[in-house]
Amino acid sequence: KHDRLLCMKIAKIYEKKGFLDNAIRYYELALKETEGSLAKREIIIKLANLYKKKGDFTKAIRLYKEALKIEEDEEAYIQLANVYMEIGKDEEALRLLYDVVSKHKEYSKAGVMLAYIYMKKGFYDSAVSVLIDVLDRKPKDARANYFLSELY
């Protein structure tokens, strides 16, 4: 049996030093000792981020999805969409973000990312529509204002 908090600290040190495999090993040990779904979710996200850094996108995708089953979170959705884009699955990222933004209007970062993908694909009307929705809720959102100004 391992001390969960000690494993987490060791993993963070390895991560900062760039020893990703060691960091992964210690986060996995911490995960085994973790009770409670939200605490597990936090570690699963850390593991997904490390696998993404390593370029193991299949594992990263699986872990982000696992974390999102425990609890939905805007940042995890954005990271998952980023992985899809990194591996050339823009359509998958688009579908994911469209569904997320439709369900969670308050997710302004996801909305801006959706608008960015629309812009990248040349769907300017869709991008404008999403950005206006974001700005209706958060008028001072710098990224939404910037992209909207680029479209006009």
Side-chain angles (χ1 to χ4, degrees):
K1 193 150 169 103
H2 297 88
D3 181 293
R4 183 182 82 81
L5 292 176
L6 181 60
C7 287
M8 293 286 289
K9 285 180 182 172
I10 293 170
K12 280 181 186 168
I13 292 167
Y14 276 130
E15 187 176 354
K16 282 182 182 166
K17 297 285 185 190
F19 298 111
L20 303 184
D21 290 326
N22 289 338
I24 287 168
R25 189 172 64 228
Y26 278 93
Y27 278 130
E28 286 173 344
L29 286 172
L31 186 60
K32 287 177 187 166
E33 301 302 326
T34 302
E35 298 295 321
S37 56
L38 290 180
K40 285 184 183 218
R41 188 187 153 286
E42 178 190 340
I43 298 171
I44 291 167
I45 296 267
K46 290 179 184 301
L47 284 165
N49 291 339
L50 287 170
Y51 280 113
K52 181 181 170 208
K53 264 187 199 171
K54 279 185 62 170
D56 190 339
F57 299 118
T58 304
K59 272 192 180 163
I61 289 168
R62 183 180 55 74
L63 288 165
Y64 284 126
K65 286 180 175 180
E66 187 179 329
L68 286 163
K69 281 180 189 165
I70 295 170
E71 183 182 63
E72 293 189 43
D73 168 71
E74 183 178 24
E75 197 55 44
Y77 278 121
I78 288 170
Q79 291 302 322
L80 179 56
N82 274 325
V83 173
Y84 284 138
M85 290 176 67
E86 276 188 55
I87 61 176
K89 291 187 173 185
D90 287 11
E91 292 299 320
E92 196 73 27
L94 188 76
R95 263 192 304 280
L96 173 73
L97 291 170
Y98 178 84
D99 290 345
V100 167
V101 170
S102 298
K103 198 160 77 171
H104 298 281
K105 300 283 186 202
E106 72 279 9
Y107 284 6
S108 59
K109 287 181 188 174
V112 171
M113 188 173 182
L114 175 62
Y116 170 77
I117 297 171
Y118 278 143
M119 288 168 62
K120 198 172 147 187
K121 297 192 137 316
F123 302 139
Y124 302 112
D125 290 344
S126 296
V128 168
S129 175
V130 170
L131 291 169
I132 288 172
D133 283 350
V134 168
L135 291 169
D136 279 346
R137 277 179 298 292
K138 289 183 81 179
K140 295 188 187 306
D141 188 296
R143 292 176 318 140
N145 278 300
Y146 170 77
F147 284 131
L148 196 57
S149 73
E150 289 290 301
L151 288 164
Y152 282 112

